[in-house]
C-alpha cells in the first residue's frame, strides 16, 4: 500500500475496506482521514470498513515481530 498522506478526495474514492485500513494507519495524524468509522452501525459499509481496520491492525502487529 502506498503510504503517502491522503487527501479527503483520495480517501473518498477508496473502497470501504481500504478506507478502514487507511484510517487505522493514518487516522491519528492525518486530518483528512477519519479516526473512527463514518458509516452507520449495522450497514455493509461499516462491516467492510472494520474489516480494513482489522487487516491493518494485523499487519502492524506482524511488523513488530
Amino acid at each position: 500500500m502506498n503510504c503517502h498522506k491522503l487527501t479527503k478526495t483520495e480517501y473518498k474514492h477508496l473502497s470501504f475496506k481500504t478506507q478502514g485500513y487507511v484510517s487505522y494507519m493514518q487516522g491519528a495524524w492525518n486530518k483528512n482521514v477519519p479516526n473512527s468509522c463514518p458509516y452507520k452501525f449495522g450497514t455493509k459499509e461499516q462491516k467492510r470498513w472494520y474489516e480494513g481496520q482489522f487487516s491493518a491492525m494485523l499487519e502492524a502487529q506482524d511488523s513488530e515481530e
Side-chain angles (χ1 to χ4, degrees):
M1 161 137 307
N2 192 343
C3 294
H4 79 278
K5 183 178 178 181
L6 290 179
T7 65
K8 287 181 183 182
T9 302
E10 289 173 320
Y11 183 85
K12 183 176 78 169
H13 287 97
L14 298 174
S15 70
F16 302 119
K17 185 174 181 178
T18 304
Q19 285 180 357
Y21 181 97
V22 170
S23 287
Y24 185 89
M25 295 296 194
Q26 294 188 12
W29 56 269
N30 183 350
K31 65 180 173 76
N32 298 318
V33 173
N35 200 20
S36 60
C37 184
Y39 300 105
K40 188 174 179 181
F41 179 78
T43 61
K44 67 177 179 157
E45 293 86 357
Q46 182 215 25
K47 180 181 181 219
R48 297 292 291 159
W49 194 90
Y50 277 113
E51 288 172 357
Q53 281 246 312
F54 188 72
S55 294
M57 180 201 61
L58 290 177
E59 185 174 316
Q61 286 178 345
D62 287 346
S63 70
E64 293 177 2
E65 294 178 352

